[in-house]
Amino acid sequence: MMKKEWLYVAATSFFELVWIFGFNVASVWWHWIPIVLFIFVDFHFLSKACETLPTGTVYAIFAAVGTIGTALMDVFFFGQTLSGGKIFFIIILVTGVIGLKLADGHDEKMAAEGSR
């Protein structure tokens, strides 16, 4: 089962994409009310995730999901193209996030062994 803090990471990533989508479709002043509310909800989950997980890892995932999600949202909802350059840098982002997670796991293992 997924730990609660990882659910917070998933929630903050989801709500980030919701308010970014809102930026693209807001056409009248009152559209900004739910967007601002989603931003507050998003940062609430971001702060909850950072309480127990390494902030660097949480932020890397948050930024990567936002970047990749926004690029894909542009393609599927707003008619933009996904060039080879964008795909290349998306792969670099995903590789970086995986690398950070692996490094955090290694650091936690080393800390646990050192405390014995």
Side-chain angles (χ1 to χ4, degrees), residues 6-88:
W6 288 107
L7 291 175
Y8 292 145
V9 174
T12 192
S13 298
F14 171 76
F15 285 110
E16 177 186 25
L17 294 175
V18 170
W19 62 261
I20 290 171
F21 179 82
F23 280 1
N24 286 300
V25 298
S27 59
V28 294
W29 72 267
W30 60 268
H31 288 170
W32 292 96
I33 296 169
I35 292 169
V36 169
L37 293 175
F38 279 116
I39 291 170
F40 280 111
V41 170
D42 179 26
F43 285 117
H44 166 74
F45 286 117
L46 180 64
S47 68
K48 294 296 283 181
C50 290
E51 287 177 2
T52 53
L53 294 171
T55 302
T57 300
V58 172
Y59 189 74
I61 293 168
F62 175 80
V65 169
T67 302
I68 295 165
T70 301
L72 295 176
M73 195 183 321
D74 283 345
V75 170
F76 293 113
F77 295 128
F78 302 111
Q80 300 293 316
T81 60
L82 194 59
S83 66
K86 285 182 185 178
I87 293 170
F88 173 74

Side-chain angles (χ1 to χ4, degrees), residues 90-106:
I90 286 172
I91 291 169
I92 288 175
L93 271 168
V94 170
T95 303
V97 168
I98 292 169
L100 277 170
K101 176 60 182 142
L102 292 173
D104 282 341
H106 176 71

